[in-house]
Amino acid sequence: MKRRKLRSSTVVLGGMGVLAATLTACSSEPDERCVHPVTQEILPDYECEDSDGSGTYYYGGSSHKNRVSGGSFNKAAVERDGFGSSGSSGG
């Protein structure tokens, strides 16, 4: 009797690629961090959730040494530009 060799690894890998592309397309919400508006230091979430807190939400960008950069306090600006866009203009 001859055994058939299934190509299940190809099917699994192909399915993983489709899943990764779907998740990337669905995750259009930018990162949201609670940040002090002047120092841009990352704060605990309750500083933004409480009306007496000193924080403001900061969207997108990156963090380094507990400070943020490259994002915006305006969520719509980050969503409009999208991930990896350059935002350059000609003139």
Side-chain angles (χ1 to χ4, degrees), residues 37-59:
V38 176
T39 64
Q40 295 191 342
E41 182 179 349
I42 299 172
L43 301 172
D45 285 337
Y46 67 81
E47 290 288 346
C48 288
E49 295 165 357
D50 186 4
S51 61
D52 295 330
S54 61
T56 303
Y57 282 114
Y58 187 86
Y59 302 95

Side-chain angles (χ1 to χ4, degrees), residues 4 11 16 19 26 37-38 44 56 58 67 72-73 76 80 88 90:
R4 264 183 11 172
V11 173
M16 294 288 279
L19 178 62
C26 292
V38 176
T56 303
Y58 187 86
R67 297 209 189 308
S72 175
F73 289 104
R80 181 175 52 248
S88 61

